[in-house]
Amino acid sequence: MTSTVQGVGGGSNGQNGSRGDEYLSSLRDAKPHLLHSKTALWAKTISAIFSWGIPFLITAIASFSVLLILLYMVKDSLPFFFEEVTVGGEEALRFSTARVAEFFTHKHWEPNTGEFGSLAIFYGSFMVTFCSLIIAVPLGVAAAVCLSDVLPFWMRQTVKPVIEVLAAIPSVAYGFFAILVLAPLLQNQGGLFLAVVFWAIGLPVGLLLVAILSAMLNQALPKHLRSLGKVVAPILFGLIALGLLYLGGSALYGVKIPNGANAFNVSLILAVMVLPTIVSVSEDALQAVGREMREGAYALGSTRAETILKVILPAASSGVLAAVILGAMRAVGETMVVLMAAGNAANIPEPFYSVFAPIKTLTATIAGEMGEAARGTPAYYVLFAMGMCLLVFSLICNLISEWVLRRQRALLKGA
Amino acid sequence: MDLGTRQLIDRYFTGLGLIAILLMVLALVVILGPIFLTGAGAVVFRETVNRRVLHLEIFNRGNPERVTEEWVAVQGERQEVYDRLNAFNSELMKMKFSDRQQYRSDFAQTQNAVEEILGPEMEPGTMPADLLSRRPLTHERYGETRWDKTQEALHRLKYKTKWVSVDPSKPMKKTFVPRAETFAGTSLESFFPWFEENLDRFLRPSWTVYWRYWFMNSDDGFRYGGIWDEMLGTIYLTVGAILFSVPIGVISAIFLVEFAREGWLVSTLRMCISSLAGVPSVVFGLFGFAFFIATIQVSENRSVLAGSLTLALLVLPTIIRASEEAIRAVPHTFKEASLSLGAGKWRTILTVILPAALPGVLTGIVISMGRAAGETAPIIFTAAVSQGSTPWGWDFLGESTKCLPFSAYYLATAPAHGSEINYMRYGMVTTLVTVVLLLNATAIILRAHIQRKLRG
């Protein structure tokens, strides 16, 4: 043993030679018939089990744990949908359509007194998801376009970490910001905040619209008026845009927000949290479109904006759709921000679009009421029913987004 | 459209994209800025003499002789405050009843505000610890310990809040009335500016870097001390999650890359893994409770073990994906060379492929650690508590624990004195975000290193 170690370590020729001789002699002594014996077959099977079977088993456990999760959500939510009834002196469980109907269509959520109408909670989840996507999708797609087609390489390398950091910040930190910084700000200076945000977004968009509209107007004019139109049209439209901005801004300035913990606050924060997902998935989709299409569009004389809007975005539309779906999934599943800053009121706001009303979402209900619900009561099982709804929603979203992405890949390959 | 307009629109379009990116950067700065600025105050701040005495008596830190000496000296200085207050009190006693009524409640408020800043009045030569039987709560014995909070208390001393109704239809407005005005014409009028001027003589503020914030337990409802309990709990949960998920994740990745042949089985496995990545975190929490605690009963109730297992499940897809990518990136020639030298498949994997893929696998592990450390929803029902102490010893697996994200959530929403301990809760979130970002930075650096190596 020692000599072998030395032989390998020292690497002297003599010792290596003697090792080779040993190996040859051992080959000579080997009994070929052993390979076909029963023992060898056993050894082969066992080694196959160890080298293939166990890794396969572990992989299967890891992968199918999602099915286990689904199983447990279903198993623990079933008692909520079943009722104990006495049929002929025997107690039996019967599927209760009344419970299901109450759960999905009623608005009264009082688990302590046995009212489990979760419509308002479902609506709350829908509302914050919808609002956050309204904010995040245009921003995210614009940023993705900018990242993939506009920025030079070195700037892309500096912006990418920003996105990664936004994605990495723990959700409890976002919730912390929402409830301790943003909520007081909205409550005390809500109007000012809204007006500033409105101007910050409205001004660049307004300028773009003015440019497009005045160009369109100019084309409609007869030729001898065009030189005049070039000056007058931008001024005219600019004044209109400024007026609209002023009106909108001052209307928003007058808004008083009674409670800073509301759907608007949460939607803003969720939008920031969803942005990284939307940006990175749609950027991948835009990158996948490929050079040829871009070069083709440029060769036909289109500008960069036209190339992006008329060629690349349509080609990548399904990828962008996948990004939106994944974003929605993240927004629906987000817990801590809505638990901390959504106001926790299980009501449908009056009117239904009023974003400054406190709401409650599925995730916040689960996280907030799991501690109080006693095991084995309907108040406990109903939370699992909500969990099941969340899980099924995310699984469906996941399947759709994968299908969409695969289809886009196939389409692009075909083109 | 003519060319000029098209170019103009093109430029504006570029501008819009840039604005979107700027907004993203702005969001990052706006969110992290206030958290970090306030959070830094947990470690770097001006402490008052009260805090030095508190740390000597409660945490046994500091030089006993020097602190005691300083305390005696400060008590001497403070005597003048009490003399002036007592002088006014006897003045008050000599007044007519109607005049006395006018000043009484204001005087009581003034006394309270002074006590809030300096701590209760005590006999010369006694220490705050001697008051223990009379005032069992720590914060009632020591007064203000931080200079920034002293300024807030000073504002409460100098001004009294008054709710003024300007218009009966609107809510009342909060205004501040200088307290000196209410005492106009009495000996106490000059007390307020004098007290403010001499405040640093009574409190002796000095800059301090409290690095022990990370290594001390908290005391008296998170008012004093640090966040060691929470740090320790976070370390338990994170390391536990990694210990459970890394072996399973890496073996799964090896199987998926090296053994599995593409087919319906493998695509199903992959689909399941990507679905697992999309499960909402609160559902992991529900599952963790229903499975690990209610069904297989790894523990009676919340425990480090149940929490780690839940978090392990949560980070599993990340680890599998990162390891898969890393193993796939190992050049084929490595594997072929090893196989042609006579090494078996597993020997090749363990001695050639895994070492070559190690940086990539590590990247995945580090990112997963960041995720596990920051997740709150899965551990609310499986591991975390807000009160009590974190177990320190071998039996910690079956015990519930405090941890950073949950305590940050608790302090941000639950306690009534939350705004009094801003430095504590902001410091906690700052620590958590810093840890997570450092882990992610490590991952980014590792990835850059790998890319450089792949490029040659």
Side-chain angles (χ1 to χ4, degrees):
Chain A
M1 197 60 209
T2 17
S3 77
T4 343
V5 172
Q6 275 175 350
V8 173
S12 80
N13 278 329
Q15 272 166 325
N16 269 352
S18 69
R19 267 193 77 210
D21 289 343
E22 271 170 39
Y23 181 60
L24 280 179
S25 62
S26 74
L27 267 188
R28 226 172 289 132
D29 295 339
K31 300 178 181 86
H33 63 268
L34 246 183
L35 285 175
H36 303 287
S37 74
K38 244 183 179 172
T39 350
L41 202 65
W42 268 112
K44 232 176 162 181
T45 320
I46 287 171
S47 84
I49 286 174
F50 271 95
S51 71
W52 198 90
I54 289 182
F56 170 71
L57 205 68
I58 288 173
T59 315
I61 289 173
S63 322
F64 292 138
S65 55
V66 69
L67 298 182
L68 190 70
I69 294 177
L70 183 61
L71 178 79
Y72 263 82
M73 289 303 119
V74 173
K75 192 193 105 186
D76 274 355
S77 62
L78 278 185
F80 174 71
F81 293 120
F82 278 81
E83 253 179 347
E84 277 191 17
V85 283
T86 356
V87 184
E90 270 181 62
E91 288 210 342
L93 284 174
R94 204 177 58 188
F95 187 71
S96 153
T97 43
R99 268 278 173 77
V100 179
E102 188 201 3
F103 182 65
F104 285 111
T105 59
H106 281 225
K107 290 190 286 189
H108 289 284
W109 173 255
E110 278 295 337
N112 295 328
T113 57
E115 286 182 86
F116 299 106
S118 309
L119 187 64
I121 297 174
F122 278 97
Y123 182 75
S125 272
F126 166 77
M127 189 175 177
V128 288
T129 307
F130 185 75
C131 292
S132 64
L133 285 182
I134 282 184
I135 304 168
V137 169
L139 266 181
V141 174
V145 165
C146 200
L147 273 178
S148 82
D149 279 78
V150 178
L151 289 184
F153 181 75
W154 66 269
M155 263 177 92
R156 218 176 299 166
Q157 292 309 91
T158 34
V159 173
K160 280 259 174 82
V162 171
I163 298 172
E164 274 179 55
V165 166
L166 274 180
I169 294 175
S171 56
V172 70
Y174 279 113
F176 196 85
F177 175 82
I179 188 67
L180 290 184
V181 183
L182 190 56
L185 181 74
L186 285 179
Q187 207 162 327
N188 302 329
Q189 241 100 45
L192 184 66
F193 178 85
L194 289 176
V196 167
V197 169
F198 179 72
W199 272 88
I201 294 170
L203 200 59
V205 174
L207 278 177
L208 183 71
L209 283 179
V210 166
I212 293 173
L213 282 177
S214 47
M216 280 166 69
L217 181 78
N218 233 12
Q219 263 190 331
L221 286 176
K223 245 185 193 143
H224 59 278
L225 282 178
R226 281 194 190 168
S227 57
L228 184 69
K230 232 175 198 164
V231 184
V232 175
I235 295 177
L236 182 72
F237 283 118
L239 283 178
I240 293 175
L242 272 181
L244 286 178
L245 275 176
Y246 176 75
L247 283 180
S250 49
L252 284 174
Y253 187 74
V255 171
K256 284 265 182 296
I257 302 175
N259 187 355
N262 55 37
F264 178 73
N265 180 340
V266 169
S267 303
L268 271 187
I269 301 292
L270 281 183
V272 177
M273 295 179 74
V274 171
L275 261 180
T277 314
I278 291 183
V279 172
S280 59
V281 177
S282 36
E283 199 218 334
D284 283 346
L286 292 171
Q287 292 276 355
V289 171
R291 258 186 113 81
E292 295 84 0
M293 280 209 195
R294 291 184 168 87
E295 280 164 1
Y298 287 132
L300 288 173
S302 45
T303 61
R304 187 156 57 190
E306 287 157 357
T307 309
I308 292 167
L309 287 175
K310 294 182 180 159
V311 178
I312 300 174
L313 271 181
S317 59
S318 42
V320 174
L321 180 68
V324 174
I325 293 173
L326 288 174
M329 205 169 102
R330 179 134 198 234
V332 168
E334 181 45 53
T335 312
M336 293 319 290
V337 174
V338 282
L339 178 62
M340 291 162 91
N344 266 334
N347 303 318
I348 294 183
E350 291 281 336
F352 69 93
Y353 53 81
S354 78
V355 286
F356 298 119
I359 47 119
K360 190 167 192 166
T361 69
L362 290 171
T363 47
T365 312
I366 296 174
E369 302 192 0
M370 184 70 180
E372 295 158 25
R375 257 189 249 183
T377 58
Y380 171 83
Y381 293 127
V382 71
L383 299 178
F384 281 85
M386 287 179 174
M388 186 182 70
C389 294
L390 281 174
L391 182 61
V392 169
F393 176 78
S394 78
L395 292 184
I396 290 174
C397 279
N398 213 27
L399 287 181
I400 293 177
S401 73
E402 266 192 20
W403 177 72
V404 165
L405 282 177
R406 199 175 311 145
R407 210 190 54 158
Q408 195 207 6
R409 235 171 277 141
L411 272 180
L412 285 175
K413 221 181 266 172
Chain B
M1 275 188 259
D2 66 301
L3 194 63
T5 328
R6 281 171 59 198
Q7 279 173 343
L8 190 71
I9 293 174
D10 185 46
R11 230 167 289 145
Y12 272 128
F13 186 77
T14 309
L16 278 184
L18 286 175
I19 286 172
I21 287 191
L22 267 182
L23 277 179
M24 232 157 54
V25 177
L26 194 72
L28 186 69
V29 173
V30 165
I31 289 176
L32 288 188
I35 291 182
F36 273 45
L37 277 181
T38 320
V43 178
V44 181
F45 57 96
R46 292 176 85 180
E47 62 171 7
T48 63
V49 64
N50 294 346
R51 187 171 175 282
R52 289 191 276 275
V53 178
L54 180 143
H55 266 246
L56 177 70
E57 292 184 339
I58 292 189
F59 299 111
N60 219 354
R61 302 252 173 233
N63 184 340
E65 282 97 56
R66 235 191 21 231
V67 171
T68 320
E69 198 178 303
E70 195 181 24
W71 179 246
V72 171
V74 164
Q75 269 197 317
E77 306 264 19
R78 287 178 186 179
Q79 198 52 51
E80 204 178 336
V81 177
Y82 299 123
D83 287 347
R84 289 187 73 145
L85 286 176
N86 289 337
F88 180 76
N89 197 19
S90 45
E91 201 177 311
L92 204 60
M93 287 302 158
K94 282 181 213 140
M95 277 183 199
K96 278 190 294 193
F97 180 73
S98 56
D99 290 347
R100 209 192 303 166
Q101 283 308 68
Q102 179 194 339
Y103 293 120
R104 222 169 62 179
S105 80
D106 275 318
F107 182 59
Q109 281 173 14
T110 309
Q111 276 180 315
N112 280 342
V114 168
E115 184 179 317
E116 209 180 305
I117 295 174
L118 301 180
E121 184 184 355
M122 54 190 95
E123 303 280 305
T126 53
M127 302 290 283
D130 303 332
L131 294 178
L132 191 61
S133 57
R134 209 144 47 87
R135 292 169 191 263
L137 293 177
T138 312
H139 67 274
E140 288 180 343
R141 262 175 290 153
Y142 291 93
E144 292 294 354
T145 53
R146 298 167 58 99
W147 190 242
D148 50 340
K149 298 211 58 199
T150 310
Q151 296 304 316
E152 289 166 24
L154 187 66
H155 189 268
R156 284 197 294 277
L157 170 70
K158 273 168 64 185
Y159 300 96
K160 75 177 175 188
T161 39
K162 202 169 175 188
W163 292 90
V164 188
S165 140
V166 191
D167 178 354
S169 65
K170 283 179 184 162
M172 293 208 279
K173 254 177 100 176
K174 194 175 178 180
T175 50
F176 295 109
V177 183
R179 227 182 268 278
E181 266 177 28
T182 42
F183 290 105
T186 65
S187 64
L188 211 59
E189 190 186 1
S190 61
F191 171 80
F192 296 96
W194 171 81
F195 186 77
E196 187 182 4
E197 243 167 62
N198 292 290
L199 193 59
D200 50 354
R201 249 178 46 205
F202 307 138
L203 288 172
R204 302 199 177 181
S206 65
W207 281 100
T208 177
V209 178
Y210 183 43
W211 57 270
R212 283 209 173 83
Y213 176 72
W214 292 298
F215 305 102
M216 300 268 286
N217 292 337
S218 62
D219 187 56
D220 192 18
F222 293 97
R223 277 191 180 83
Y224 310 108
I227 54 171
W228 173 241
D229 268 343
E230 284 82 5
M231 301 268 286
L232 190 65
T234 303
I235 292 171
Y236 284 159
L237 288 170
T238 311
V239 171
I242 293 304
L243 283 183
F244 287 120
S245 60
V246 164
I248 296 179
V250 172
I251 290 176
S252 302
I254 290 172
F255 176 82
L256 285 174
V257 179
E258 296 291 333
F259 291 94
R261 265 182 238 125
E262 295 300 322
W264 66 269
L265 183 66
V266 172
S267 58
T268 315
L269 290 179
R270 268 180 220 288
M271 183 93 64
C272 284
I273 291 170
S274 80
S275 304
L276 188 64
V279 174
S281 55
V282 73
V283 173
F284 277 106
L286 271 183
F287 172 74
F289 184 80
F291 185 69
F292 295 122
I293 294 177
T295 308
I296 63 173
Q297 291 183 341
V298 295
S299 61
E300 289 264 305
N301 213 329
R302 292 163 210 214
S303 69
V304 172
L305 187 58
S308 308
L309 285 168
T310 312
L311 286 175
L313 209 55
L314 181 89
V315 298
L316 195 57
T318 318
I319 289 189
I320 294 180
R321 271 190 201 158
S323 315
E324 217 187 312
E325 221 166 272
I327 292 172
R328 224 179 268 285
V330 175
H332 244 284
T333 45
F334 280 39
K335 195 171 135 192
E336 281 157 11
S338 164
L339 288 174
S340 68
L341 283 173
K345 190 149 197 180
W346 271 105
R347 201 187 170 98
T348 306
I349 288 168
L350 289 178
T351 58
V352 177
I353 294 179
L354 270 188
L358 189 66
V361 177
L362 274 182
T363 311
I365 293 176
V366 169
I367 286 181
S368 309
M369 282 175 79
R371 178 108 199 266
E375 276 294 344
T376 323
I379 53 173
I380 294 181
F381 342 118
T382 55
V385 287
S386 54
Q387 308 287 339
S389 63
T390 299
W392 175 244
W394 284 115
D395 53 348
F396 70 87
L397 278 179
E399 306 270 323
S400 59
T401 176
K402 286 200 218 174
C403 61
L404 280 177
F406 185 72
S407 293
Y409 156 66
Y410 169 77
L411 288 186
T413 52
H417 67 287
S419 59
E420 279 175 44
I421 49 169
N422 249 348
Y423 52 93
M424 200 66 162
R425 51 189 188 179
Y426 274 88
M428 219 176 253
V429 173
T430 306
T431 310
L432 178 66
V433 173
T434 311
V435 166
V436 170
L437 290 190
L438 279 181
L439 285 171
N440 273 273
T442 317
I444 291 175
I445 291 168
L446 266 174
R447 205 179 305 145
H449 176 76
I450 298 166
Q451 275 171 358
R452 217 179 311 127
K453 221 167 73 180
L454 283 180
R455 253 183 255 136

